[in-house]
Amino acid sequence: MSTFVDSTVWFAAAAQRDCNNELAKSILSSTEGWVLTDQVLAEIWQLLRAHFGAKVADKFWDGLRDTGARVATLTADDLKAAWQIGTSQELSFVDRTSIAFMERSKITRAATSIRSSPEHRYGRDLKNGFHIIRTGHSPAFRTLREAVLQRRPVRLSYGGRQQTVCPSILGHAGGEERAFALALDGARQRSKSEQRGWICLRVADVQEIEILDQPWTEQAYPGRVQRCVDQGPPGRDAPPGCVLITSFARVH
């Protein structure tokens, strides 16, 4: 799914001393399908040149091409639509053209490091709005995601106990980051044999996490895991749910 990334995120991610540098990098690492317009690129380049010089601005431009981000060219229709948006919402020229492009391209997610910004409604009866992403996944969530991709267990502290787990499904429930994982030791056992070893983790409570250089353990998981992780909205300002399933074997 495409994510429109505005200039505030790109600039903060490129400027190591920016107060939003870590936030911007977490937003980028938590989203995919990055898209920006040529106007946004021009704005970023101008900002970087003004603060750090043309060489730094050119280095960012060159590096952007290796990220897989798509730079879209605005059309005459985009400019017309941007003009019709008007100035009542205190939006800049780049903001207005970005909104027009997103509407035309049917992009519904936008990432920004601005804490609050005017909400733009569009569509019939102005019922549609963009999903604005202002935060990235937590470091623990990103480590769990990397473990899933590497198919490696992790050692973590949870509830005051050290545990080794193989995370299988990551996502959100009740607006919180969650992980459905197979506990390899120190696990709280359930009464039903088909659920033995599987635990639901509130990622916010995970501490001291590290990926282990050990074999991955496969085990069928219960068919219903919605109580731990759902695929609904992750909550206001949060990045989209990252649901990763490593084994499709189910217990019937």
Side-chain angles (χ1 to χ4, degrees), residues 11 14-18 45-57:
F11 178 84
Q16 293 184 2
R17 296 183 181 181
D18 190 280
W45 191 91
Q46 293 286 1
L47 287 170
L48 290 171
R49 185 186 69 166
H51 286 81
F52 308 109
K55 288 185 178 181
V56 172

mmCIF file of all heavy atoms in Angstrom, residues 11 14-18 45-57:
data_model
loop_
_atom_site.group_PDB
_atom_site.id
_atom_site.type_symbol
_atom_site.label_atom_id
_atom_site.label_comp_id
_atom_site.label_asym_id
_atom_site.label_seq_id
_atom_site.Cartn_x
_atom_site.Cartn_y
_atom_site.Cartn_z
ATOM 1 N N PHE A 11 13.065 15.558 5.495
ATOM 2 C CA PHE A 11 14.083 16.484 5.998
ATOM 3 C C PHE A 11 14.610 16.026 7.352
ATOM 4 O O PHE A 11 15.826 15.990 7.583
ATOM 5 C CB PHE A 11 13.513 17.894 6.106
ATOM 6 C CG PHE A 11 14.488 18.890 6.672
ATOM 7 C CD1 PHE A 11 15.423 19.521 5.853
ATOM 8 C CD2 PHE A 11 14.486 19.197 8.030
ATOM 9 C CE1 PHE A 11 16.337 20.424 6.377
ATOM 10 C CE2 PHE A 11 15.392 20.096 8.557
ATOM 11 C CZ PHE A 11 16.320 20.712 7.728
ATOM 12 N N ALA A 14 16.872 13.067 7.138
ATOM 13 C CA ALA A 14 18.170 13.368 6.524
ATOM 14 C C ALA A 14 19.063 14.179 7.450
ATOM 15 O O ALA A 14 20.298 14.095 7.362
ATOM 16 C CB ALA A 14 17.968 14.116 5.210
ATOM 17 N N ALA A 15 18.472 14.974 8.336
ATOM 18 C CA ALA A 15 19.239 15.855 9.227
ATOM 19 C C ALA A 15 19.421 15.169 10.576
ATOM 20 O O ALA A 15 18.498 15.117 11.389
ATOM 21 C CB ALA A 15 18.519 17.191 9.393
ATOM 22 N N GLN A 16 20.613 14.652 10.840
ATOM 23 C CA GLN A 16 20.860 13.861 12.047
ATOM 24 C C GLN A 16 20.632 14.649 13.331
ATOM 25 O O GLN A 16 20.274 14.073 14.355
ATOM 26 C CB GLN A 16 22.281 13.314 12.024
ATOM 27 C CG GLN A 16 22.529 12.293 10.932
ATOM 28 C CD GLN A 16 23.921 11.690 11.005
ATOM 29 O OE1 GLN A 16 24.700 12.009 11.894
ATOM 30 N NE2 GLN A 16 24.235 10.809 10.066
ATOM 31 N N ARG A 17 20.832 15.948 13.287
ATOM 32 C CA ARG A 17 20.673 16.757 14.491
ATOM 33 C C ARG A 17 19.267 17.313 14.655
ATOM 34 O O ARG A 17 18.993 18.023 15.624
ATOM 35 C CB ARG A 17 21.689 17.905 14.481
ATOM 36 C CG ARG A 17 23.144 17.440 14.540
ATOM 37 C CD ARG A 17 24.096 18.607 14.607
ATOM 38 N NE ARG A 17 25.495 18.162 14.646
ATOM 39 C CZ ARG A 17 26.543 18.973 14.717
ATOM 40 N NH1 ARG A 17 26.345 20.302 14.738
ATOM 41 N NH2 ARG A 17 27.764 18.480 14.741
ATOM 42 N N ASP A 18 18.397 17.007 13.733
ATOM 43 C CA ASP A 18 17.012 17.480 13.844
ATOM 44 C C ASP A 18 16.343 16.799 15.034
ATOM 45 O O ASP A 18 16.557 15.604 15.288
ATOM 46 C CB ASP A 18 16.248 17.177 12.554
ATOM 47 C CG ASP A 18 14.891 17.849 12.504
ATOM 48 O OD1 ASP A 18 13.953 17.307 13.123
ATOM 49 O OD2 ASP A 18 14.774 18.906 11.860
ATOM 50 N N TRP A 45 14.844 19.644 -1.166
ATOM 51 C CA TRP A 45 16.157 20.047 -1.671
ATOM 52 C C TRP A 45 16.472 21.478 -1.257
ATOM 53 O O TRP A 45 17.595 21.779 -0.815
ATOM 54 C CB TRP A 45 16.198 19.911 -3.191
ATOM 55 C CG TRP A 45 17.570 20.058 -3.777
ATOM 56 C CD1 TRP A 45 18.477 19.061 -4.022
ATOM 57 C CD2 TRP A 45 18.207 21.276 -4.183
ATOM 58 N NE1 TRP A 45 19.628 19.574 -4.555
ATOM 59 C CE2 TRP A 45 19.493 20.937 -4.663
ATOM 60 C CE3 TRP A 45 17.815 22.609 -4.199
ATOM 61 C CZ2 TRP A 45 20.391 21.881 -5.150
ATOM 62 C CZ3 TRP A 45 18.706 23.566 -4.678
ATOM 63 C CH2 TRP A 45 19.969 23.203 -5.146
ATOM 64 N N GLN A 46 15.493 22.363 -1.379
ATOM 65 C CA GLN A 46 15.700 23.766 -1.004
ATOM 66 C C GLN A 46 15.970 23.908 0.494
ATOM 67 O O GLN A 46 16.840 24.687 0.912
ATOM 68 C CB GLN A 46 14.476 24.607 -1.390
ATOM 69 C CG GLN A 46 14.246 24.753 -2.878
ATOM 70 C CD GLN A 46 15.227 25.706 -3.539
ATOM 71 O OE1 GLN A 46 16.113 26.265 -2.895
ATOM 72 N NE2 GLN A 46 15.069 25.917 -4.841
ATOM 73 N N LEU A 47 15.255 23.154 1.307
ATOM 74 C CA LEU A 47 15.454 23.209 2.761
ATOM 75 C C LEU A 47 16.842 22.704 3.140
ATOM 76 O O LEU A 47 17.538 23.310 3.963
ATOM 77 C CB LEU A 47 14.382 22.376 3.470
ATOM 78 C CG LEU A 47 12.973 22.948 3.506
ATOM 79 C CD1 LEU A 47 11.980 21.904 4.017
ATOM 80 C CD2 LEU A 47 12.926 24.196 4.403
ATOM 81 N N LEU A 48 17.250 21.585 2.549
ATOM 82 C CA LEU A 48 18.572 21.036 2.849
ATOM 83 C C LEU A 48 19.677 21.971 2.375
ATOM 84 O O LEU A 48 20.686 22.154 3.061
ATOM 85 C CB LEU A 48 18.726 19.655 2.212
ATOM 86 C CG LEU A 48 17.893 18.530 2.836
ATOM 87 C CD1 LEU A 48 17.970 17.266 1.990
ATOM 88 C CD2 LEU A 48 18.353 18.243 4.266
ATOM 89 N N ARG A 49 19.500 22.568 1.214
ATOM 90 C CA ARG A 49 20.513 23.499 0.720
ATOM 91 C C ARG A 49 20.623 24.716 1.624
ATOM 92 O O ARG A 49 21.726 25.184 1.933
ATOM 93 C CB ARG A 49 20.187 23.956 -0.701
ATOM 94 C CG ARG A 49 21.291 24.831 -1.312
ATOM 95 C CD ARG A 49 20.916 25.394 -2.654
ATOM 96 N NE ARG A 49 19.866 26.393 -2.551
ATOM 97 C CZ ARG A 49 19.533 27.238 -3.531
ATOM 98 N NH1 ARG A 49 20.153 27.159 -4.705
ATOM 99 N NH2 ARG A 49 18.563 28.113 -3.362
ATOM 100 N N ALA A 50 19.483 25.218 2.088
ATOM 101 C CA ALA A 50 19.485 26.405 2.945
ATOM 102 C C ALA A 50 20.172 26.136 4.280
ATOM 103 O O ALA A 50 20.827 27.012 4.841
ATOM 104 C CB ALA A 50 18.055 26.888 3.174
ATOM 105 N N HIS A 51 20.014 24.909 4.800
ATOM 106 C CA HIS A 51 20.576 24.585 6.118
ATOM 107 C C HIS A 51 21.976 23.996 6.052
ATOM 108 O O HIS A 51 22.799 24.224 6.950
ATOM 109 C CB HIS A 51 19.657 23.616 6.854
ATOM 110 C CG HIS A 51 18.397 24.234 7.374
ATOM 111 N ND1 HIS A 51 17.297 24.459 6.581
ATOM 112 C CD2 HIS A 51 18.064 24.686 8.617
ATOM 113 C CE1 HIS A 51 16.325 25.011 7.311
ATOM 114 N NE2 HIS A 51 16.775 25.158 8.542
ATOM 115 N N PHE A 52 22.257 23.220 4.999
ATOM 116 C CA PHE A 52 23.508 22.458 4.982
ATOM 117 C C PHE A 52 24.328 22.617 3.706
ATOM 118 O O PHE A 52 25.434 22.092 3.629
ATOM 119 C CB PHE A 52 23.212 20.966 5.186
ATOM 120 C CG PHE A 52 22.361 20.682 6.391
ATOM 121 C CD1 PHE A 52 21.047 20.276 6.250
ATOM 122 C CD2 PHE A 52 22.875 20.829 7.672
ATOM 123 C CE1 PHE A 52 20.247 20.021 7.358
ATOM 124 C CE2 PHE A 52 22.091 20.564 8.787
ATOM 125 C CZ PHE A 52 20.774 20.165 8.628
ATOM 126 N N GLY A 53 23.790 23.289 2.718
ATOM 127 C CA GLY A 53 24.530 23.494 1.487
ATOM 128 C C GLY A 53 24.068 22.588 0.356
ATOM 129 O O GLY A 53 23.395 21.564 0.579
ATOM 130 N N ALA A 54 24.466 22.951 -0.872
ATOM 131 C CA ALA A 54 24.001 22.247 -2.059
ATOM 132 C C ALA A 54 24.523 20.811 -2.122
ATOM 133 O O ALA A 54 23.832 19.918 -2.624
ATOM 134 C CB ALA A 54 24.405 23.013 -3.316
ATOM 135 N N LYS A 55 25.747 20.559 -1.626
ATOM 136 C CA LYS A 55 26.302 19.208 -1.690
ATOM 137 C C LYS A 55 25.464 18.224 -0.880
ATOM 138 O O LYS A 55 25.223 17.090 -1.316
ATOM 139 C CB LYS A 55 27.748 19.206 -1.205
ATOM 140 C CG LYS A 55 28.730 19.865 -2.173
ATOM 141 C CD LYS A 55 30.157 19.717 -1.677
ATOM 142 C CE LYS A 55 31.144 20.331 -2.654
ATOM 143 N NZ LYS A 55 32.556 20.183 -2.200
ATOM 144 N N VAL A 56 25.032 18.660 0.295
ATOM 145 C CA VAL A 56 24.189 17.799 1.132
ATOM 146 C C VAL A 56 22.838 17.579 0.459
ATOM 147 O O VAL A 56 22.299 16.462 0.455
ATOM 148 C CB VAL A 56 23.997 18.420 2.528
ATOM 149 C CG1 VAL A 56 22.966 17.624 3.335
ATOM 150 C CG2 VAL A 56 25.319 18.472 3.267
ATOM 151 N N ALA A 57 22.279 18.632 -0.113
ATOM 152 C CA ALA A 57 20.993 18.519 -0.796
ATOM 153 C C ALA A 57 21.095 17.542 -1.969
ATOM 154 O O ALA A 57 20.204 16.706 -2.184
ATOM 155 C CB ALA A 57 20.529 19.884 -1.278
#
